[in-house]
Amino acid sequence: MRLRSTAVHINTVALTGATGYIASHVAVALAAQGHRLVGIDNLSNSSQIVVDRVAELIDGPMPFVKLDVRDTVGLTEVLAEHEVDAVIHLAGLKAVGESVTDSLRYHDNNVGGTISLLRAMQSASVPALVFSSSATVYRPDQPSPLTESSRIGPGNPYGRTKSIAEQIIDDVAASSSLRAVHLRYFNPVGAHESGRIGEDPIGPPNNLMPFTMQVAAGQREMLQIFGDDYNTPDGTCIRDYIHVSDLADGHVAALGAFGSIETSEAINLGTGRGSSVLDVLRSAEKAADRPIPHQIVGRRDGDSAVSFADPSHALERLGWQATRSLDDACQDHWRWQHQNPTGYRTSP
Ligand code: WQD
């Protein structure tokens, strides 16, 4: 592979979607490594309180701008004004079911937002982009462990917006000086060990971990387990649950890789370990120290039986690997849930 020799020095990093679940943890991890930050978010699905919580954890303010990434002019100004060296693009909608019923909104936000960002980065001469992608870009029938060369073919509009955005970024990187890393996340779970930041879904959670924790906290009656007749050891689906703080560390590591990236590159961020729904339930029960009411119901449309990462490329290219266990994630998620029963909304 032809490598560009220019060293890339990254000081200031802009985070889009800065007040979201993953970005808030990325902010803390970046600040711990001495990076300067600017957070950008339209607050459509998150709270400004996150900015204060992050400031508390990083012992100093995080500059924050309320802005929609589709506002190209405003975004260009922010990038130029803060002399941004790299962008980590985490702004986007992420509910799979909603993406089926309102696909245009998903393409507008996720694809349109990425195009706007690329334009702004070109205008402000920002050379490096880390893109928040997803393991849902892989074809659902691909065998695990999934490698970066597993076949692409998302099974829903949400996944397609991620895959299309990756391709647009690839085209721009191939024809300009932009360098980009697509981080393909598996299933992010857990919370910062302080219990001060975490996932704050509005309405009933779609994902297993937040739903399970809300049942444990008595906020919901019953966890429904979607199918126990899959071809897996206990019959429930297997996923690769990665602690959000490990995921955040992967972003910091990605910033260190730009010196050796020719144009753009995709990297899986997963643990390489598969856990079943029942494994998650047991680990959550241990963390919350109580039984969690549950029942087995029918399969959920679109679920594949097994999905977990081959994380070896991340180790090779970024020197990164996950260090936290599913039990660690459940303990941290439970601490967050317990200390912030209503998320960021009314908790102190
Ligand atoms: C995990 C397992 C369910 C809820 C989705 C997105 C993916 C990514 C992560 C962002 C499955 C089972 C779930 C419940 C259950 N997001 N389950 N009862 O489907 O692997 O991935 O979130 O990029 O794009 O597709 O995660 O947490 O929804 O489900 O039994 O109430 O838990 O069937 O086996 P999934 P999930």
mmCIF file with all atom_site columns, all heavy atoms in Angstrom, residues 248-268:
data_model
loop_
_atom_site.group_PDB
_atom_site.id
_atom_site.type_symbol
_atom_site.label_atom_id
_atom_site.label_alt_id
_atom_site.label_comp_id
_atom_site.label_asym_id
_atom_site.label_entity_id
_atom_site.label_seq_id
_atom_site.pdbx_PDB_ins_code
_atom_site.Cartn_x
_atom_site.Cartn_y
_atom_site.Cartn_z
_atom_site.occupancy
_atom_site.B_iso_or_equiv
_atom_site.pdbx_formal_charge
_atom_site.auth_seq_id
_atom_site.auth_comp_id
_atom_site.auth_asym_id
_atom_site.auth_atom_id
_atom_site.pdbx_PDB_model_num
ATOM 1   N N   . ALA A 1 248 ? -14.864 4.268  22.865 1.00 0.00 ? 248 ALA A N   1
ATOM 2   C CA  . ALA A 1 248 ? -14.319 5.633  22.886 1.00 0.00 ? 248 ALA A CA  1
ATOM 3   C C   . ALA A 1 248 ? -12.797 5.593  22.720 1.00 0.00 ? 248 ALA A C   1
ATOM 4   O O   . ALA A 1 248 ? -12.230 6.369  21.937 1.00 0.00 ? 248 ALA A O   1
ATOM 5   C CB  . ALA A 1 248 ? -14.702 6.326  24.187 1.00 0.00 ? 248 ALA A CB  1
ATOM 6   N N   . ASP A 1 249 ? -12.142 4.666  23.411 1.00 0.00 ? 249 ASP A N   1
ATOM 7   C CA  . ASP A 1 249 ? -10.684 4.548  23.275 1.00 0.00 ? 249 ASP A CA  1
ATOM 8   C C   . ASP A 1 249 ? -10.298 4.200  21.831 1.00 0.00 ? 249 ASP A C   1
ATOM 9   O O   . ASP A 1 249 ? -9.246  4.622  21.349 1.00 0.00 ? 249 ASP A O   1
ATOM 10  C CB  . ASP A 1 249 ? -10.135 3.463  24.219 1.00 0.00 ? 249 ASP A CB  1
ATOM 11  C CG  . ASP A 1 249 ? -10.272 3.856  25.695 1.00 0.00 ? 249 ASP A CG  1
ATOM 12  O OD1 . ASP A 1 249 ? -10.448 5.064  25.979 1.00 0.00 ? 249 ASP A OD1 1
ATOM 13  O OD2 . ASP A 1 249 ? -10.217 2.951  26.551 1.00 0.00 ? 249 ASP A OD2 1
ATOM 14  N N   . GLY A 1 250 ? -11.154 3.456  21.149 1.00 0.00 ? 250 GLY A N   1
ATOM 15  C CA  . GLY A 1 250 ? -10.897 3.116  19.743 1.00 0.00 ? 250 GLY A CA  1
ATOM 16  C C   . GLY A 1 250 ? -10.866 4.361  18.856 1.00 0.00 ? 250 GLY A C   1
ATOM 17  O O   . GLY A 1 250 ? -10.111 4.424  17.883 1.00 0.00 ? 250 GLY A O   1
ATOM 18  N N   . HIS A 1 251 ? -11.672 5.358  19.184 1.00 0.00 ? 251 HIS A N   1
ATOM 19  C CA  . HIS A 1 251 ? -11.666 6.615  18.416 1.00 0.00 ? 251 HIS A CA  1
ATOM 20  C C   . HIS A 1 251 ? -10.356 7.376  18.633 1.00 0.00 ? 251 HIS A C   1
ATOM 21  O O   . HIS A 1 251 ? -9.803  7.958  17.701 1.00 0.00 ? 251 HIS A O   1
ATOM 22  C CB  . HIS A 1 251 ? -12.846 7.505  18.811 1.00 0.00 ? 251 HIS A CB  1
ATOM 23  C CG  . HIS A 1 251 ? -14.167 6.950  18.392 1.00 0.00 ? 251 HIS A CG  1
ATOM 24  N ND1 . HIS A 1 251 ? -14.734 5.857  18.997 1.00 0.00 ? 251 HIS A ND1 1
ATOM 25  C CD2 . HIS A 1 251 ? -15.037 7.329  17.425 1.00 0.00 ? 251 HIS A CD2 1
ATOM 26  C CE1 . HIS A 1 251 ? -15.889 5.595  18.419 1.00 0.00 ? 251 HIS A CE1 1
ATOM 27  N NE2 . HIS A 1 251 ? -16.101 6.477  17.458 1.00 0.00 ? 251 HIS A NE2 1
ATOM 28  N N   . VAL A 1 252 ? -9.903  7.388  19.880 1.00 0.00 ? 252 VAL A N   1
ATOM 29  C CA  . VAL A 1 252 ? -8.627  8.059  20.168 1.00 0.00 ? 252 VAL A CA  1
ATOM 30  C C   . VAL A 1 252 ? -7.524  7.370  19.367 1.00 0.00 ? 252 VAL A C   1
ATOM 31  O O   . VAL A 1 252 ? -6.691  8.020  18.721 1.00 0.00 ? 252 VAL A O   1
ATOM 32  C CB  . VAL A 1 252 ? -8.307  8.001  21.683 1.00 0.00 ? 252 VAL A CB  1
ATOM 33  C CG1 . VAL A 1 252 ? -6.948  8.632  21.958 1.00 0.00 ? 252 VAL A CG1 1
ATOM 34  C CG2 . VAL A 1 252 ? -9.397  8.691  22.500 1.00 0.00 ? 252 VAL A CG2 1
ATOM 35  N N   . ALA A 1 253 ? -7.544  6.032  19.374 1.00 0.00 ? 253 ALA A N   1
ATOM 36  C CA  . ALA A 1 253 ? -6.526  5.273  18.641 1.00 0.00 ? 253 ALA A CA  1
ATOM 37  C C   . ALA A 1 253 ? -6.607  5.559  17.140 1.00 0.00 ? 253 ALA A C   1
ATOM 38  O O   . ALA A 1 253 ? -5.586  5.655  16.460 1.00 0.00 ? 253 ALA A O   1
ATOM 39  C CB  . ALA A 1 253 ? -6.705  3.782  18.916 1.00 0.00 ? 253 ALA A CB  1
ATOM 40  N N   . ALA A 1 254 ? -7.835  5.729  16.626 1.00 0.00 ? 254 ALA A N   1
ATOM 41  C CA  . ALA A 1 254 ? -8.004  5.990  15.190 1.00 0.00 ? 254 ALA A CA  1
ATOM 42  C C   . ALA A 1 254 ? -7.326  7.299  14.786 1.00 0.00 ? 254 ALA A C   1
ATOM 43  O O   . ALA A 1 254 ? -6.760  7.404  13.690 1.00 0.00 ? 254 ALA A O   1
ATOM 44  C CB  . ALA A 1 254 ? -9.485  6.017  14.823 1.00 0.00 ? 254 ALA A CB  1
ATOM 45  N N   . LEU A 1 255 ? -7.355  8.280  15.661 1.00 0.00 ? 255 LEU A N   1
ATOM 46  C CA  . LEU A 1 255 ? -6.715  9.564  15.338 1.00 0.00 ? 255 LEU A CA  1
ATOM 47  C C   . LEU A 1 255 ? -5.208  9.389  15.158 1.00 0.00 ? 255 LEU A C   1
ATOM 48  O O   . LEU A 1 255 ? -4.572  10.157 14.440 1.00 0.00 ? 255 LEU A O   1
ATOM 49  C CB  . LEU A 1 255 ? -6.980  10.590 16.452 1.00 0.00 ? 255 LEU A CB  1
ATOM 50  C CG  . LEU A 1 255 ? -8.410  11.099 16.589 1.00 0.00 ? 255 LEU A CG  1
ATOM 51  C CD1 . LEU A 1 255 ? -8.496  12.099 17.735 1.00 0.00 ? 255 LEU A CD1 1
ATOM 52  C CD2 . LEU A 1 255 ? -8.903  11.741 15.298 1.00 0.00 ? 255 LEU A CD2 1
ATOM 53  N N   . GLY A 1 256 ? -4.661  8.375  15.817 1.00 0.00 ? 256 GLY A N   1
ATOM 54  C CA  . GLY A 1 256 ? -3.222  8.122  15.696 1.00 0.00 ? 256 GLY A CA  1
ATOM 55  C C   . GLY A 1 256 ? -2.846  7.411  14.413 1.00 0.00 ? 256 GLY A C   1
ATOM 56  O O   . GLY A 1 256 ? -1.665  7.268  14.108 1.00 0.00 ? 256 GLY A O   1
ATOM 57  N N   . ALA A 1 257 ? -3.842  6.950  13.656 1.00 0.00 ? 257 ALA A N   1
ATOM 58  C CA  . ALA A 1 257 ? -3.546  6.127  12.471 1.00 0.00 ? 257 ALA A CA  1
ATOM 59  C C   . ALA A 1 257 ? -3.450  6.950  11.184 1.00 0.00 ? 257 ALA A C   1
ATOM 60  O O   . ALA A 1 257 ? -3.079  6.417  10.140 1.00 0.00 ? 257 ALA A O   1
ATOM 61  C CB  . ALA A 1 257 ? -4.621  5.052  12.310 1.00 0.00 ? 257 ALA A CB  1
ATOM 62  N N   . PHE A 1 258 ? -3.781  8.240  11.247 1.00 0.00 ? 258 PHE A N   1
ATOM 63  C CA  . PHE A 1 258 ? -3.867  8.993  9.994  1.00 0.00 ? 258 PHE A CA  1
ATOM 64  C C   . PHE A 1 258 ? -2.540  9.099  9.251  1.00 0.00 ? 258 PHE A C   1
ATOM 65  O O   . PHE A 1 258 ? -2.529  9.239  8.037  1.00 0.00 ? 258 PHE A O   1
ATOM 66  C CB  . PHE A 1 258 ? -4.483  10.374 10.238 1.00 0.00 ? 258 PHE A CB  1
ATOM 67  C CG  . PHE A 1 258 ? -5.972  10.304 10.324 1.00 0.00 ? 258 PHE A CG  1
ATOM 68  C CD1 . PHE A 1 258 ? -6.617  10.501 11.535 1.00 0.00 ? 258 PHE A CD1 1
ATOM 69  C CD2 . PHE A 1 258 ? -6.731  10.004 9.206  1.00 0.00 ? 258 PHE A CD2 1
ATOM 70  C CE1 . PHE A 1 258 ? -8.002  10.407 11.625 1.00 0.00 ? 258 PHE A CE1 1
ATOM 71  C CE2 . PHE A 1 258 ? -8.108  9.902  9.282  1.00 0.00 ? 258 PHE A CE2 1
ATOM 72  C CZ  . PHE A 1 258 ? -8.743  10.111 10.498 1.00 0.00 ? 258 PHE A CZ  1
ATOM 73  N N   . GLY A 1 259 ? -1.427  9.017  9.982  1.00 0.00 ? 259 GLY A N   1
ATOM 74  C CA  . GLY A 1 259 ? -0.122  9.074  9.329  1.00 0.00 ? 259 GLY A CA  1
ATOM 75  C C   . GLY A 1 259 ? 0.073   7.948  8.334  1.00 0.00 ? 259 GLY A C   1
ATOM 76  O O   . GLY A 1 259 ? 0.866   8.068  7.400  1.00 0.00 ? 259 GLY A O   1
ATOM 77  N N   . SER A 1 260 ? -0.634  6.836  8.509  1.00 0.00 ? 260 SER A N   1
ATOM 78  C CA  . SER A 1 260 ? -0.397  5.687  7.625  1.00 0.00 ? 260 SER A CA  1
ATOM 79  C C   . SER A 1 260 ? -1.630  5.293  6.818  1.00 0.00 ? 260 SER A C   1
ATOM 80  O O   . SER A 1 260 ? -1.732  4.172  6.343  1.00 0.00 ? 260 SER A O   1
ATOM 81  C CB  . SER A 1 260 ? 0.077   4.495  8.464  1.00 0.00 ? 260 SER A CB  1
ATOM 82  O OG  . SER A 1 260 ? -0.944  4.096  9.352  1.00 0.00 ? 260 SER A OG  1
ATOM 83  N N   . ILE A 1 261 ? -2.562  6.217  6.688  1.00 0.00 ? 261 ILE A N   1
ATOM 84  C CA  . ILE A 1 261 ? -3.749  5.905  5.876  1.00 0.00 ? 261 ILE A CA  1
ATOM 85  C C   . ILE A 1 261 ? -3.647  6.595  4.531  1.00 0.00 ? 261 ILE A C   1
ATOM 86  O O   . ILE A 1 261 ? -3.417  7.799  4.460  1.00 0.00 ? 261 ILE A O   1
ATOM 87  C CB  . ILE A 1 261 ? -5.028  6.285  6.641  1.00 0.00 ? 261 ILE A CB  1
ATOM 88  C CG1 . ILE A 1 261 ? -5.276  5.225  7.712  1.00 0.00 ? 261 ILE A CG1 1
ATOM 89  C CG2 . ILE A 1 261 ? -6.226  6.382  5.697  1.00 0.00 ? 261 ILE A CG2 1
ATOM 90  C CD1 . ILE A 1 261 ? -6.391  5.521  8.625  1.00 0.00 ? 261 ILE A CD1 1
ATOM 91  N N   . GLU A 1 262 ? -3.780  5.803  3.482  1.00 0.00 ? 262 GLU A N   1
ATOM 92  C CA  . GLU A 1 262 ? -3.593  6.356  2.138  1.00 0.00 ? 262 GLU A CA  1
ATOM 93  C C   . GLU A 1 262 ? -4.773  7.237  1.747  1.00 0.00 ? 262 GLU A C   1
ATOM 94  O O   . GLU A 1 262 ? -4.614  8.387  1.370  1.00 0.00 ? 262 GLU A O   1
ATOM 95  C CB  . GLU A 1 262 ? -3.444  5.210  1.148  1.00 0.00 ? 262 GLU A CB  1
ATOM 96  C CG  . GLU A 1 262 ? -3.031  5.699  -0.209 1.00 0.00 ? 262 GLU A CG  1
ATOM 97  C CD  . GLU A 1 262 ? -2.982  4.563  -1.210 1.00 0.00 ? 262 GLU A CD  1
ATOM 98  O OE1 . GLU A 1 262 ? -3.144  3.396  -0.802 1.00 0.00 ? 262 GLU A OE1 1
ATOM 99  O OE2 . GLU A 1 262 ? -2.794  4.858  -2.392 1.00 0.00 ? 262 GLU A OE2 1
ATOM 100 N N   . THR A 1 263 ? -5.983  6.675  1.831  1.00 0.00 ? 263 THR A N   1
ATOM 101 C CA  . THR A 1 263 ? -7.175  7.462  1.497  1.00 0.00 ? 263 THR A CA  1
ATOM 102 C C   . THR A 1 263 ? -8.234  7.240  2.575  1.00 0.00 ? 263 THR A C   1
ATOM 103 O O   . THR A 1 263 ? -8.485  8.106  3.393  1.00 0.00 ? 263 THR A O   1
ATOM 104 C CB  . THR A 1 263 ? -7.745  7.071  0.116  1.00 0.00 ? 263 THR A CB  1
ATOM 105 O OG1 . THR A 1 263 ? -7.906  5.666  0.068  1.00 0.00 ? 263 THR A OG1 1
ATOM 106 C CG2 . THR A 1 263 ? -6.844  7.549  -0.999 1.00 0.00 ? 263 THR A CG2 1
ATOM 107 N N   . SER A 1 264 ? -8.818  6.041  2.590  1.00 0.00 ? 264 SER A N   1
ATOM 108 C CA  . SER A 1 264 ? -9.805  5.733  3.625  1.00 0.00 ? 264 SER A CA  1
ATOM 109 C C   . SER A 1 264 ? -9.739  4.249  3.943  1.00 0.00 ? 264 SER A C   1
ATOM 110 O O   . SER A 1 264 ? -9.279  3.453  3.117  1.00 0.00 ? 264 SER A O   1
ATOM 111 C CB  . SER A 1 264 ? -11.216 6.114  3.166  1.00 0.00 ? 264 SER A CB  1
ATOM 112 O OG  . SER A 1 264 ? -11.542 5.389  2.000  1.00 0.00 ? 264 SER A OG  1
ATOM 113 N N   . GLU A 1 265 ? -10.209 3.925  5.118  1.00 0.00 ? 265 GLU A N   1
ATOM 114 C CA  . GLU A 1 265 ? -10.084 2.541  5.581  1.00 0.00 ? 265 GLU A CA  1
ATOM 115 C C   . GLU A 1 265 ? -11.200 2.239  6.572  1.00 0.00 ? 265 GLU A C   1
ATOM 116 O O   . GLU A 1 265 ? -11.544 3.091  7.388  1.00 0.00 ? 265 GLU A O   1
ATOM 117 C CB  . GLU A 1 265 ? -8.720  2.441  6.272  1.00 0.00 ? 265 GLU A CB  1
ATOM 118 C CG  . GLU A 1 265 ? -8.331  1.049  6.658  1.00 0.00 ? 265 GLU A CG  1
ATOM 119 C CD  . GLU A 1 265 ? -6.849  0.978  7.066  1.00 0.00 ? 265 GLU A CD  1
ATOM 120 O OE1 . GLU A 1 265 ? -6.021  1.788  6.584  1.00 0.00 ? 265 GLU A OE1 1
ATOM 121 O OE2 . GLU A 1 265 ? -6.550  0.114  7.893  1.00 0.00 ? 265 GLU A OE2 1
ATOM 122 N N   . ALA A 1 266 ? -11.741 1.023  6.504  1.00 0.00 ? 266 ALA A N   1
ATOM 123 C CA  . ALA A 1 266 ? -12.782 0.607  7.461  1.00 0.00 ? 266 ALA A CA  1
ATOM 124 C C   . ALA A 1 266 ? -12.164 -0.294 8.525  1.00 0.00 ? 266 ALA A C   1
ATOM 125 O O   . ALA A 1 266 ? -11.322 -1.143 8.217  1.00 0.00 ? 266 ALA A O   1
ATOM 126 C CB  . ALA A 1 266 ? -13.887 -0.146 6.729  1.00 0.00 ? 266 ALA A CB  1
ATOM 127 N N   . ILE A 1 267 ? -12.585 -0.082 9.760  1.00 0.00 ? 267 ILE A N   1
ATOM 128 C CA  . ILE A 1 267 ? -12.050 -0.869 10.878 1.00 0.00 ? 267 ILE A CA  1
ATOM 129 C C   . ILE A 1 267 ? -13.198 -1.262 11.808 1.00 0.00 ? 267 ILE A C   1
ATOM 130 O O   . ILE A 1 267 ? -13.971 -0.408 12.263 1.00 0.00 ? 267 ILE A O   1
ATOM 131 C CB  . ILE A 1 267 ? -10.979 -0.066 11.652 1.00 0.00 ? 267 ILE A CB  1
ATOM 132 C CG1 . ILE A 1 267 ? -9.823  0.316  10.708 1.00 0.00 ? 267 ILE A CG1 1
ATOM 133 C CG2 . ILE A 1 267 ? -10.469 -0.863 12.853 1.00 0.00 ? 267 ILE A CG2 1
ATOM 134 C CD1 . ILE A 1 267 ? -8.712  1.132  11.341 1.00 0.00 ? 267 ILE A CD1 1
ATOM 135 N N   . ASN A 1 268 ? -13.307 -2.563 12.090 1.00 0.00 ? 268 ASN A N   1
ATOM 136 C CA  . ASN A 1 268 ? -14.309 -3.049 13.047 1.00 0.00 ? 268 ASN A CA  1
ATOM 137 C C   . ASN A 1 268 ? -13.924 -2.657 14.471 1.00 0.00 ? 268 ASN A C   1
ATOM 138 O O   . ASN A 1 268 ? -12.758 -2.813 14.853 1.00 0.00 ? 268 ASN A O   1
ATOM 139 C CB  . ASN A 1 268 ? -14.352 -4.583 13.047 1.00 0.00 ? 268 ASN A CB  1
ATOM 140 C CG  . ASN A 1 268 ? -15.042 -5.163 11.818 1.00 0.00 ? 268 ASN A CG  1
ATOM 141 O OD1 . ASN A 1 268 ? -15.800 -4.481 11.143 1.00 0.00 ? 268 ASN A OD1 1
ATOM 142 N ND2 . ASN A 1 268 ? -14.782 -6.438 11.558 1.00 0.00 ? 268 ASN A ND2 1
#
